[in-house]
Amino acid sequence: MLEKLKDRHNQMILFFTVFFLVLLFRLFDLSIVEGEKYKEMAEDIRMKKIPISAPRGEIKDRYGRALAVNKPSFTVQIMKNELMDEKINEVSVKLLNILMNNGENYHDNFPIKFENNKFYYTFDREIEEWLSEQGIKDVKDAEAVFNLLREQLGIDSNLDVFEVQKEMQSVHGVYPPISVKKMKFIPQMKKENFLQRYNLDENLEAKDAFIALREKFEIPESYSDEDAKKILVIRNEFREQGYRQYQPVKVALNVSAKTVAQIEERSIELPGVNVEVEPIRYYPNEGLASHILGYLGKISDSEKDKFTKELGYLPNDLIGKDGIERVYEEKLKGKDGAKYVEVDVYGRLINVLREQKPEKGKTIYLSIDAKLQETAEKALEQALKQIQVGGTFKSKWGDYRYKDAMKHATSGAVVALDVNTGDVLALANYPSFDPNLFATGISAKDWKAVQDDNPRDPLSPIPLYNVATRTSVQPGSTFKMITGLAAIENGLDPAKKLYDGGYVKLGGRTFGSWMWNEYRRSHGWVDLYKSLEESVNYYYYDVATNFDYYKNQSLNTSMNVDKMLEYAKMFGLDEPTGIEISEVASGVPNPEKKMIVTKSLLRRKLKSKAKEYFEKEIITNEEKLNEQIEKIVGWTEENPSRGSLINRVSELDVKEDKVTALVDLVKFSYYKQAKWTIGDTFNLSIGQGQHQYTPIQIARYVANIANGGYNNEVSVIKKVGNEKKDDHKGEKIALKDDNNLIHIQKGMEQVVYGDHGTARGFFRKFPVKVAAKTGSAQKSGKIQPKDEVAYLKTYLKWIAPYMSWSDVERKAEVYKKKYKNEGLAMRKAIKELSKGRVTDAVIDQYKDDYDAFGWFVSYAPSDNPQIAVVTLIFQSGTGGYGAPIAREIIAEYLGLNKEYEKVDFKNRLTN
């Protein structure tokens, strides 16, 4: 055998035999074993699927009135496969010239722009504008900015960056555009991705990148930079499309008939350009119920995996970003159709094979009544505008003159609930916005108009913000119904009269009734009903602590702070309401956590002020510094005497001349506040202290009082498609005696009809009985101006008349590098030049103080409750100012404005 293989002829035969055997085996494997797989791959190359977007589902009110619909619009598209490469430049310029001349908005995602012959990245401009809003200068590194913000906000340096970011957003309302995972500005990361996509150096300046892209796409020099940019806008859209040349690129949505006519007239000059009729989102009532409906927006980078890969959305699709549009996105989206086409190896369309029609998204019916919603929004707007100037609220039910002008009362919210089902009948915020701005992609100008105008002021109006579901504030005296009910349930006789002694003094602090605080007078003998009618704080100090402070004796009930807070939980204040759109629920206070919170605040304070109190040597030794800070924090529970504390602190590395100041800070501002005290219970009993609830939570709680103690979940949905929401009652609140609620209801009636009721006079001409309660929540601090430097420059002549602005500017140069914030640097300079005479309090004395939040809660008819209405007005100073708003809503809901119809209170809104 071996001898035969030595023959070259036989070797050739063996080689070809093996070769053909391998070839046959491979052919068998490809055609039989894996034949189906390769057949599908071949089909994929030959046949492609072009999605056809389904019309978005409509949103309607409970009676079927349209709130969000679709309207046909003209969409300008370019089919790249129908356009020769050498024609792209010419067509791009001509098309965009038509769109620009007619004032049309078109997709411009190309991030290099120029003005005054200067090129810039939109990403860089975004970072610069944000830094400017924060007053940060000369800092470009994201990590340095993040650490600077943390230091300025006094956030504990022991927290990890993710916890710090959460605290910045939730506590301080600061949203830095920084990826804490990579410690880079998010726009910077987008810029890097853009440059990488075109294989350009990440460090290229905007102008150099623009030139490089001109060369890459061989744009002739005969085209100006302006025209070259138009070309690059279209080229960039093609690039975003990838290899899907068979799919049209949408250039502009909702264009005018004039633009369509011009494109059609010049169709020969614009090969590949066509106009399609497509549905776009349309809100026929403009801003009505906008915070419930939400708005649409582009798919963000963080959302791309979910929507484009998992759910099959196109990169340019708009999705719900807030409200019902976001929560029910997948149901509203519907099922896209498709056009199946044949393409060549280059992805160019050859033939249309078949078409599958899209299926419209589901229609969603809300629980709100559009007419009632309109009444609520108009009444809220009228009230705010008149409160600001001390004007008059005009109404057929009686005009009301606002006594004091409250110029900072620029925001507010109102919620109306069906007390028997928890349905939202109206939910309004002011200021509001028009979601039509987002229907085809919002412009930069419009986006800025719906943002916070003054990021330095946490109460500055934000049109996009849903105050009703996301703003938690103290409930003030509207909480007194909880305190009163808990006391009755735990042994208090509601008819028992307690004497209002005016004030209770605990240590060096005085807790007084408003009558004492304002007029140095007493409410006299007070029972539960009068305590609600006149909002007598002293009464609640007594009943919450089971002690009669006037007679200096026990009340012999089993009432205490824990039981009071337990009833707050029973009435739903410790949890979200269940409303389908985004909401915040902070929960009821927890006395046990006070020590933990105080320690955390002290630790944060000491770290933020370390350079002021500790020796220079220890500042550089972070481990030793933290060790000494923890020692000071560790003494909180012990709360040693001032003398003992001075001795202990003197043994630490604290500056000798700062020992006493540090001791007084920790002793009186933290140690004495750490343990739960009777004063804390006093504050909670009247709705102050650590309470934080949203208008929607308060509305649910008031509805629970009105309906006899049923804790209904709140809902803004009646029906999704053909699926109707169940209207079953919520759980019955487990009261010891259901009749005890009657005492609370009676007290709320006296608030409106009692001789000294805090809401008397608002419903004199009203034909229906109403139960209500007013409340105000204090907000401490100064209102920070938008521009701190401008404020300092304006008031320097009064703050420090002996100081010149030029001297301050020169001195501030020293601190600008340290503080990276011009306002802080200027403040430091003024204090330094004054040699200690000017303090922060002196500097801020010309800034306005915050005024109190005003609450008004109500339900009607009081003898057969149907609707609960709650208003919250920022900085109105008093709760009664919201009463005219509630009155308008109640009148509209109960049909009192329709004089030709007989009112029947047994009738309620139905489907």
Side-chain angles (χ1 to χ4, degrees), residues 413-448:
V414 57
V415 178
L417 298 183
D418 182 325
V419 302
N420 296 300
T421 65
D423 280 352
V424 176
L425 302 173
L427 184 151
N429 296 279
Y430 187 88
S432 188
F433 67 96
D434 183 356
N436 285 307
L437 295 173
F438 297 84
T440 58
I442 192 168
S443 67
K445 180 182 177 183
D446 288 335
W447 176 252
K448 191 169 184 179

Side-chain angles (χ1 to χ4, degrees), residues 610-717:
K611 292 179 182 178
E612 181 179 339
Y613 292 111
F614 288 88
E615 296 287 358
K616 187 176 181 181
E617 293 74 21
I618 195 174
I619 296 297
T620 57
N621 187 338
E622 188 174 352
E623 184 178 346
K624 190 174 181 182
L625 173 65
N626 287 336
E627 182 183 321
Q628 295 200 6
I629 287 175
E630 287 306 314
K631 272 189 178 180
I632 297 173
V633 172
W635 300 329
T636 306
E637 291 183 43
E638 180 189 350
N639 187 15
S641 67
R642 187 171 182 271
S644 173
L645 198 53
I646 288 175
N647 292 333
R648 294 186 193 186
V649 171
S650 298
E651 295 175 3
L652 303 177
D653 294 305
V654 174
K655 295 175 183 177
E656 189 175 344
D657 61 335
K658 292 290 183 179
V659 170
T660 303
L662 179 57
V663 166
D664 289 342
L665 171 71
V666 299
K667 173 73 175 176
F668 300 109
S669 296
Y670 294 91
Y671 290 178
K672 291 192 74 173
Q673 313 302 323
K675 291 184 178 179
W676 192 263
T677 66
I678 293 175
D680 292 315
T681 301
F682 281 0
N683 282 332
L684 291 190
S685 73
I686 60 170
Q688 305 293 340
Q690 297 174 33
H691 288 295
Q692 297 285 319
Y693 309 118
T694 61
I696 194 79
Q697 285 181 297
I698 295 295
R700 183 193 193 192
Y701 141 58
V702 173
N704 293 345
I705 292 174
N707 67 25
Y710 287 91
N711 197 8
N712 296 313
E713 278 204 350
V714 175
S715 176
V716 75
I717 299 293

Side-chain angles (χ1 to χ4, degrees), residues 96 107-108 110 229-237:
L96 292 195
H107 291 162
D108 181 1
F110 186 65
K229 180 183 177 298
K230 295 168 189 172
I231 294 167
L232 290 173
V233 165
I234 300 300
R235 294 271 190 185
N236 189 60
E237 292 298 316

Side-chain angles (χ1 to χ4, degrees), residues 126-190:
E126 187 178 343
I127 296 171
E128 290 167 7
E129 289 178 352
W130 182 82
L131 290 173
S132 177
E133 288 175 356
Q134 302 302 317
I136 298 174
K137 294 188 176 182
D138 304 322
V139 187
K140 301 297 182 184
D141 179 69
E143 187 169 9
V145 169
F146 190 83
N147 291 333
L148 175 63
L149 279 174
R150 177 166 61 181
E151 183 180 346
Q152 288 178 359
L153 298 171
I155 298 175
D156 191 343
S157 59
N158 283 335
L159 298 177
D160 66 40
V161 291
F162 299 100
E163 292 173 318
V164 172
Q165 182 188 47
K166 183 178 179 181
E167 186 166 332
M168 283 181 180
Q169 295 175 349
S170 61
V171 177
H172 303 282
V174 176
Y175 297 82
I178 296 172
S179 166
V180 294
K181 184 177 181 180
K182 297 186 177 181
M183 270 306 165
K184 284 186 175 183
F185 286 110
I186 294 172
Q188 173 66 26
M189 294 166 63
K190 291 180 179 179

Side-chain angles (χ1 to χ4, degrees), residues 28-98:
F28 175 81
D29 183 57
L30 291 174
S31 59
I32 306 300
V33 179
E34 297 187 82
E36 195 62 32
K37 170 185 171 184
Y38 287 103
K39 180 182 178 183
E40 288 179 8
M41 290 175 65
E43 286 294 320
D44 282 345
I45 294 172
R46 185 177 65 85
M47 189 171 72
K48 292 295 181 182
K49 175 183 174 183
I50 302 176
I52 302 174
S53 296
R56 198 168 179 84
E58 297 179 343
I59 304 175
K60 299 182 177 182
D61 83 343
R62 67 192 299 140
Y63 297 117
R65 302 185 190 104
L67 298 172
V69 296
N70 305 299
K71 69 174 184 178
S73 70
F74 296 115
T75 298
V76 179
Q77 302 176 340
I78 297 183
M79 296 287 291
K80 188 181 178 184
N81 66 290
E82 297 178 8
L83 182 62
M84 301 301 292
D85 197 61
E86 59 270 17
K87 280 282 188 181
I88 290 178
N89 294 348
E90 181 184 343
V91 170
S92 298
V93 173
K94 287 181 178 180
L95 176 59
L96 292 195
N97 280 342
I98 292 173

Side-chain angles (χ1 to χ4, degrees), residues 851-864:
D851 295 309
F853 293 87
W855 287 95
F856 184 81
V857 307
S858 58
Y859 64 85
S862 60
D863 54 354
N864 180 24

